[in-house]
Amino acid sequence: MTKNKKVIVVGAGIGGLTTALYLHRAGYNVQIYESVKTIKELGVGINLLPHSVRILWDLGLQEALDQSAIRTKELVYYNKFGQLIWQEARGIDAGYHWPQYSLHRGRLQGILLNEVKQVIGEDCVHTGMHLSHVEQHNKKVQASFIDRSNEQQLEVVECDFLIGADGIHSAMRKQLYPQNDKPIYGGRILWRGMTKAKPFLSGRTMIMAGNIDEKFVAYPITAPDHSGYCDINWIAELSVTEAPDRNEWNRLANIADFAHTFQDWTFDWLDVPSLISGAEYVYEFPLVDKEPLPKWSFNRVTLLGDAAHPMYPIGSNGASQAILDAEALYVSLIENQSIEEALLDYEQQRIHKTASIVRSNRQHGPEIVMQMVHERAPQGFERLEDVITYAELEEISNRYKQIAGFHKEKLNQVGMKVSQ
Ligand SMILES: Cc1cc2nc3c(=O)[nH]c(=O)nc-3n(C[C@H](O)[C@H](O)[C@H](O)COP(=O)(O)OP(=O)(O)OC[C@H]3O[C@@H](n4cnc5c(N)ncnc54)[C@H](O)[C@@H]3O)c2cc1C
């Protein structure tokens, strides 16, 4: 395939920036167009699973990630009374060749952006350019950009192919699928915050407690500072029948809307009420996804990341799957003769796998075990083995890893054993 063709990546999020690095490696002239005028390090915590860490290390980001992230040691599920249900090692502690990282989502975006500017060049990122629509003629793509703040037309840019990595509200997806593109509300609201607090349990533990109607998740995303405090990311999640008329990551929320549900959740391993009350900001985010699509690639245009497969943030998979898409696209472009064939091949590599995760997350992914224990023992239990067997717990955990593509033995066989 002729190299030095021009590709536009729409969206400088985690998926778009990782894709840009790979397409540059493949020899393309990569230009990134981002809607916001200034890329700020927004969001709260995010997790990267070993399969996506393998890819980021391959891009040379191990040191930057180790400086900004926690290498997650274990994942532990409890019921709402703080009784232990399941505990499993994660990342390198579980025998993977790569760690699981927990870190600030904006920091991750910052690391990728910095790498893009260093490797590809400062001027490849065009901010304040919101994609409005795309046309394809004679093996060329014309992308029109507007200023989102006033809807003013800015530029029409021509390229050889275009990747729509413009997130859950993707304009590219909306143009390809004008009908039924609305996010589907999953009946729950997530309140997300970050609190400076002393580390809990191992200091590198991710916990989840409760059931599908009332759940609390917490994990550290920084190492302790000189006074022993770290940033702990947390999510309080409640069932709320009425669908809120919004789905943004940056909508500030009021603690009073949800804190009362968790007022008695004081365990000897974590004080949930003080974690909630100690947060400087809390963001509200309704649980939404979209129906899996039958097709992502249309001649010289394709979708990637949340634009292609928005999913519930269950199983810590959203960012990782966008990163996996980026690598798959790179491999398809190298292995196929034409861009059209490569984009179709990429779609085939990824569309069914990600649809399975979207569907599995609708059934609560691996967290279903918390609900099973709740239904079988709503007032708690004396002995866990009277409620659920170890074999059941293990089977559910392993099945999800298989679906999400991070089954340990298979992943380690990928062979790229990198230094730890
Ligand atoms: C501001 C923000 C905060 C987030 N915070 C969290 C969090 O705290 N925890 C978590 O788990 N997940 C968070 N997410 C979602 C998470 O980043 C994604 O689920 C995941 O990383 C997949 O990445 P993506 O690149 O596909 O999408 P995103 O990371 O959402 O990136 C999409 C990018 O496209 C840009 N864009 C959108 N429309 C257009 C357009 N028409 N033209 C040009 N550019 C466009 C957006 O501004 C954004 O930079 C957040 C997303 C955003 C945008």
Side-chain angles (χ1 to χ4, degrees), residues 51-52 55 319-329 346 350 404-405:
H51 51 3
S52 64
I55 294 168
S320 293
Q321 294 301 323
I323 293 166
L324 262 64
D325 289 348
E327 189 201 40
L329 178 63
Y346 149 73
R350 298 293 299 149

Side-chain angles (χ1 to χ4, degrees), residues 28 167 264 279 302 344:
Y28 293 101
D264 299 329
T302 195
L344 282 176

Side-chain angles (χ1 to χ4, degrees), residues 36-93:
V36 301
K37 291 197 169 131
T38 312
I39 301 175
K40 296 184 187 143
E41 297 200 353
L42 296 174
V44 278
I46 211 161
N47 274 278
L48 294 172
L49 300 175
H51 51 3
S52 64
V53 173
R54 176 185 68 75
I55 294 168
L56 296 181
W57 280 17
D58 177 51
L59 287 169
L61 298 175
Q62 176 180 352
E63 199 185 327
L65 288 167
D66 274 326
Q67 278 170 6
S68 301
I70 287 288
R71 286 186 174 203
T72 313
K73 176 185 165 68
E74 58 178 356
L75 169 66
V76 192
Y77 295 147
Y78 297 91
N79 66 6
K80 67 184 217 175
F81 307 106
Q83 295 181 291
L84 180 69
I85 296 173
W86 175 249
Q87 181 169 22
E88 64 177 33
R90 301 291 277 193
I92 288 191
D93 291 87

